[in-house]
Amino acid sequence: MVQYNFKKITRVPTGKDFVDIVLSRTQRQTPTVVHKGYAINRIRGFYMRKVKFTQTNFHEKLSTIVDEFPRLDDIHPFYGDLLHVLYNKDHYKLALGQINTARNLIGKIAKDYVKLLKYGDSLYRCKALKVAALGRMCTVTKRIGPSLAYLEQIRQHMARLPSIDPNTRTILICGYPNVGKSSFINKITRADVDVQPYAFTTKSLFVGHTDYKYLRYQVIDTPGILDRPFEDRNIIEMVSITALAHLRAAVLFFLDISGSCGYTIAQQAALFHSIKSLFMNKPLIIVCNKTDLQSLEGISEDDKKLVEEMKSEAMKTLVVDGQQVLLTMSTLTEEGVIAVKNAACERLLDQRVEVKMKSKKINECLNRFHVAMPKPRDQKERPVCIPESVLEAKAMEAEKVKRKLERENENENGGAGVYSASLKKHYLLADDEWKEDNMPEILDGHNVYDFIDQDILQRLEELEKEEGLLQEQGDGEDEEMEGEDLTPEQQKELNEIRKKKSILIREHRIKKSTAESRPIVPRKFDKDKRFTSERMGRQLSSLGLDPSKAMKRVRSESRGRKRERSSDHGEGMDVDDDEGSNKKMKIRSNSKSRSMSRSRSMSRPPVHELVPGEGYKDSAQKIKREDYQTLRISVFF
């Protein structure tokens, strides 16, 4: 578990924002109206409430800052020294001290002015005391503006620090710059550390996590360290020194034996000896990296002696004999990377177990353990017995491993789109040869395949040829009919029909394209009189049809409508000479006609509503049918 989460620290406002926040809250959450006519006790209470509320808000905000920022003496020494390296703990403590002092001063100011407000004898004096109290509180807050800005910068920087748990299993990587530390952590964890071919690419600590024997390990990449006096090291190097000094971890000291990092093996060995005091009581492994450029056997004799000296120093940290302290690897080819990780995890695990075995708590735990050692009860041999079901399951698993996948068969037989997988090869039949047989289709108890003619394909080709010949003959006949068999009069009528058809099609397309933007022209302005009964009669006569029945039907409908109107009007008339009775009868007859028309309209369903027995599936189908009929009528006329 990560014990320190600096990302939860509340944002620190500037001095001006602090004052605006508190005063606006006081204005919004306290009463704002007071009159001269109020009793003096009520006026005093009004302004005392303002002062106390403002002091409470200042106290809460400043207390949040003081409490949420970590105290360097109470947190782990690793974080304490890290914060000291990054921010200088004296300045940090001084800023928090000023915040605490301002909090106490604001409390004292509020206490003094509340005491003075108890003796205020008028509205004006009470208001003046309130203004003075709030003014002094704001002045104190503005004076600590630089400290607030400094703490906000520290908060932002602390939020970017990695979440490192100092008490968990940790692997620490150190060494000269550009020796392959970041590449190694990218290989064994999911951390994405920037890797570049120049020194000091890594300027802070980076954390990744890896697993070994079902346990989680924390891997920390540190910035490069140079071999120089302690006083001359900069902040980036001191971050690495702090991590080495305070974290209980397995240390991997990276050594570039190829020299491509810009530093010789002698310089790297000097760095190792200068910081070897930080390796005490920690598992240490020397990792010779970049073996793809230079093998360990190919270096000079002097360099080999230096490496052997480093190895002898690392041997002193062994807990269990026989473990390796000098390993080689290459992060480019990934040769030996997993071996280095496993060795570091194993060394750290052994060291932690050894420490626990030496602690006082182990005696209490051992008393609870009992290891049972079975003793032979007779001389009979009892070999290990494995059930047959287990053996069969193992054999089936081995067969599954050996069995080819369909993807492999697909790649061998032409790939996707060419290879077609057989769905019958896994059928469980008495004889495997039956798998590819054609499956019969049964219809009415008969096998359909028995009635299929063997020469059906050949006969189909003959039919297609015959149909092609007939089509050719038919096309020739149509051409002759169009050109030769028609008389001049028929040809003239055919041309007129085609011309009329093209005109109707063109007009319909124009109407359809301009349907939305075309205005509706009233009938009285229709000078062309395009849709009249006379025009319909003329068109029917030109087509050789008798228009008398259609015209009679149109006239009878128009007369019927007029008669209905006149009958309605007749129903509304009154025969009585009395004027009052005439009015009453007219009202009754009119209401009666309205009710009859309303009942008639209510009994008739809407046009688009579906009525049972019409034969439509739903109302949408009915609407579509009516639109189609309307379109046909418009094209015809």
Side-chain angles (χ1 to χ4, degrees):
M1 293 291 293
V2 178
Q3 297 180 354
Y4 308 103
N5 188 3
F6 301 132
K7 295 180 177 63
K8 292 185 178 180
I9 299 176
T10 308
R11 176 182 171 274
V12 181
T14 61
K16 185 177 180 303
D17 293 342
F18 214 117
V19 172
D20 293 341
I21 291 169
V22 174
L23 292 184
S24 65
R25 181 176 291 182
T26 302
Q27 184 69 14
R28 285 184 287 109
Q29 298 185 4
T30 56
T32 56
V33 179
V34 64
H35 299 290
K36 293 182 180 179
Y38 288 169
I40 190 64
N41 289 334
R42 185 174 179 182
I43 295 173
R44 290 170 185 168
F46 176 85
Y47 288 109
M48 287 168 62
R49 181 176 179 181
K50 293 269 187 183
V51 174
K52 289 180 180 178
F53 190 85
T54 306
Q55 183 267 335
T56 303
N57 283 332
F58 273 117
H59 188 275
E60 288 178 357
K61 292 281 185 183
L62 297 175
S63 299
T64 301
I65 296 172
V66 174
D67 295 339
E68 287 189 352
F69 275 86
R71 291 183 174 83
L72 300 183
D73 298 333
D74 298 340
I75 61 177
H76 194 276
F78 163 68
Y79 275 113
D81 284 357
L82 185 63
L83 295 178
H84 174 58
V85 168
L86 295 174
Y87 319 118
N88 192 340
K89 65 181 180 182
D90 295 334
H91 295 169
Y92 176 77
K93 289 183 176 180
L94 185 61
L96 287 178
Q98 289 179 351
I99 301 296
N100 189 32
T101 302
R103 180 179 61 178
N104 296 334
L105 284 174
I106 289 173
K108 187 177 179 182
I109 290 170
K111 185 178 179 181
D112 293 343
Y113 277 88
V114 166
K115 189 180 295 184
L116 292 173
L117 279 168
K118 290 180 181 178
Y119 299 98
D121 55 355
S122 66
L123 175 64
Y124 174 77
R125 289 188 181 179
C126 291
K127 184 175 181 180
L129 289 173
K130 185 266 294 185
V131 171
L134 268 60
R136 289 190 62 184
M137 292 181 193
C138 296
T139 302
V140 172
T141 306
K142 288 180 180 178
R143 284 179 182 174
I144 61 172
S147 298
L148 294 172
Y150 174 72
L151 289 174
E152 173 61 17
Q153 293 294 325
I154 290 179
R155 185 197 67 82
Q156 294 178 5
H157 201 285
M158 290 172 67
R160 293 192 291 268
L161 287 177
S163 298
I164 298 174
D165 187 0
N167 302 315
T168 191
R169 294 169 291 274
T170 307
I171 299 173
L172 198 63
I173 309 170
C174 66
Y176 256 91
N178 203 25
V179 295
K181 303 186 294 298
S182 300
S183 300
F184 176 72
I185 192 175
N186 287 342
K187 296 293 181 183
I188 66 172
T189 68
R190 290 189 293 178
D192 187 15
V193 185
D194 187 21
V195 177
Q196 298 294 340
Y198 49 81
F200 287 107
T201 306
T202 304
K203 297 181 181 180
S204 62
L205 300 177
F206 286 91
V207 182
H209 294 85
T210 186
D211 292 333
Y212 177 72
K213 289 186 177 180
Y214 303 103
L215 295 174
R216 178 62 56 90
Y217 287 81
Q218 180 178 251
V219 185
I220 300 177
D221 179 24
T222 62
I225 308 172
L226 299 179
D227 182 25
R228 53 185 177 182
F230 188 81
E231 298 79 10
D232 297 338
R233 290 196 169 101
N234 56 22
I235 294 177
I236 297 175
E237 296 175 271
M238 288 305 299
V239 169
S240 300
I241 298 296
T242 304
L244 286 170
H246 293 289
L247 293 178
R248 294 184 300 173
V251 180
L252 298 180
F253 185 84
F254 271 57
L255 192 68
D256 184 3
I257 57 177
S258 67
S260 61
C261 64
Y263 304 99
T264 62
I265 295 179
Q267 291 175 314
Q268 298 177 62
L271 173 65
F272 177 83
H273 292 293
S274 66
I275 63 173
K276 66 181 180 181
S277 60
L278 301 174
F279 304 148
M280 293 180 64
N281 301 324
K282 296 176 185 175
L284 174 63
I285 297 177
I286 300 169
V287 181
C288 298
N289 194 17
K290 301 185 182 180
T291 54
D292 56 314
L293 301 177
Q294 176 69 54
S295 62
L296 184 60
E297 292 78 12
I299 62 177
S300 62
E301 294 295 330
D302 295 339
D303 292 340
K304 284 184 180 180
K305 289 181 181 179
L306 295 173
V307 173
E308 289 296 329
E309 290 178 3
M310 296 166 63
K311 181 179 178 181
S312 61
E313 290 289 339
M315 292 289 288
K316 297 178 182 178
T317 62
L318 279 179
V319 177
V320 180
D321 294 335
Q323 293 178 335
Q324 294 180 346
V325 295
L326 181 65
L327 298 173
T328 58
M329 74 168 191
S330 172
T331 53
L332 182 64
T333 62
E334 299 187 11
E335 181 182 357
V337 172
I338 301 301
V340 171
K341 184 199 84 167
N342 293 342
C345 295
E346 193 66 38
R347 288 283 308 277
L348 181 63
L349 203 57
D350 293 341
Q351 192 256 357
R352 289 170 68 91
V353 170
E354 183 67 20
V355 170
K356 288 182 179 179
M357 292 295 292
K358 292 180 180 178
S359 64
K360 296 180 180 179
K361 295 182 180 179
I362 192 64
N363 295 326
E364 299 177 2
C365 296
L366 288 177
N367 293 333
R368 303 173 191 171
F369 297 152
H370 173 68
V371 181
M373 299 298 295
K375 296 180 181 179
R377 62 177 181 266
D378 51 27
Q379 301 299 324
K380 185 178 180 179
E381 292 185 2
R382 293 180 174 83
V384 178
C385 179
I386 302 176
E388 293 183 0
S389 59
V390 176
L391 294 175
E392 291 177 359
K394 287 186 178 180
M396 291 179 67
E397 285 187 11
E399 185 180 353
K400 286 182 181 178
V401 171
K402 294 178 183 177
R403 190 171 61 190
K404 263 190 177 181
L405 300 176
E406 285 295 334
R407 186 178 294 278
E408 297 175 1
N409 294 331
E410 181 182 9
N411 295 332
E412 291 176 0
N413 296 287
V418 178
Y419 172 74
S420 179
S422 176
L423 302 177
K424 300 179 180 179
K425 60 182 179 181
H426 297 303
Y427 284 1
L428 301 177
L429 301 176
D431 190 353
D432 291 340
E433 296 180 356
W434 298 349
K435 292 181 179 179
E436 300 300 330
D437 291 350
N438 292 327
M439 188 176 294
E441 297 183 12
I442 306 300
L443 179 64
D444 297 334
H446 300 285
N447 187 355
V448 176
Y449 191 74
D450 295 338
F451 299 93
I452 295 177
D453 192 353
Q454 299 294 333
D455 302 331
I456 189 170
L457 296 177
Q458 183 179 354
R459 296 188 180 186
L460 179 63
E461 291 179 1
E462 294 175 357
L463 287 173
E464 288 178 350
K465 290 180 181 178
E466 185 178 352
E467 186 179 358
L469 293 173
L470 292 174
Q471 287 180 355
E472 291 178 0
Q473 294 176 1
D475 294 342
E477 291 177 359
D478 291 342
E479 290 176 0
E480 290 177 0
M481 182 182 294
E482 288 180 2
E484 298 178 358
D485 292 352
L486 297 177
T487 62
E489 296 179 357
Q490 291 176 346
Q491 186 70 35
K492 186 178 179 181
E493 291 178 359
L494 179 62
N495 293 335
E496 289 180 358
I497 291 171
R498 289 178 176 174
K499 186 177 179 181
K500 183 66 175 178
K501 183 179 178 181
S502 63
I503 291 172
L504 291 175
I505 291 172
R506 197 180 310 118
E507 288 180 354
H508 175 64
R509 287 177 179 171
I510 292 172
K511 285 181 182 179
K512 191 174 181 181
S513 62
T514 62
E516 296 181 357
S517 61
R518 187 173 65 251
I520 300 174
V521 180
R523 183 171 290 181
K524 64 180 180 179
F525 297 111
D526 187 10
K527 296 180 180 180
D528 298 337
K529 301 293 182 180
R530 299 184 60 189
F531 304 104
T532 60
S533 59
E534 289 78 7
R535 182 174 178 273
M536 182 183 71
R538 289 196 300 271
Q539 286 184 347
L540 292 175
S541 299
S542 64
L543 294 174
L545 300 174
D546 184 14
S548 59
K549 292 184 179 180
M551 299 289 289
K552 190 182 295 182
R553 183 179 178 186
V554 171
R555 290 194 185 97
S556 64
E557 287 181 356
S558 63
R559 284 197 212 100
R561 284 196 295 269
K562 288 180 181 177
R563 277 198 299 271
E564 287 174 2
R565 285 197 295 270
S566 63
S567 64
D568 291 344
H569 180 69
E571 288 176 4
M573 296 177 64
D574 198 350
V575 297
D576 194 356
D577 293 337
D578 194 337
E579 188 176 355
S581 61
N582 285 342
K583 291 182 180 178
K584 291 180 181 179
M585 292 298 292
K586 285 181 181 179
I587 292 170
R588 289 197 196 113
S589 60
N590 288 333
S591 62
K592 183 179 179 181
S593 62
R594 280 197 300 269
S595 63
M596 290 175 65
S597 62
R598 189 182 301 111
S599 61
R600 193 182 303 117
S601 63
M602 290 176 64
S603 63
R604 184 184 299 118
V607 179
H608 300 305
E609 185 178 354
L610 185 64
V611 178
E614 288 185 342
Y616 296 111
K617 183 173 66 175
D618 51 10
S619 59
Q621 189 178 11
K622 184 177 180 181
I623 294 169
K624 187 175 180 182
R625 173 63 179 172
E626 291 173 357
D627 293 341
Y628 176 73
Q629 289 179 348
T630 305
L631 180 62
R632 287 187 61 189
I633 293 170
S634 63
V635 170
F636 179 77
F637 288 107

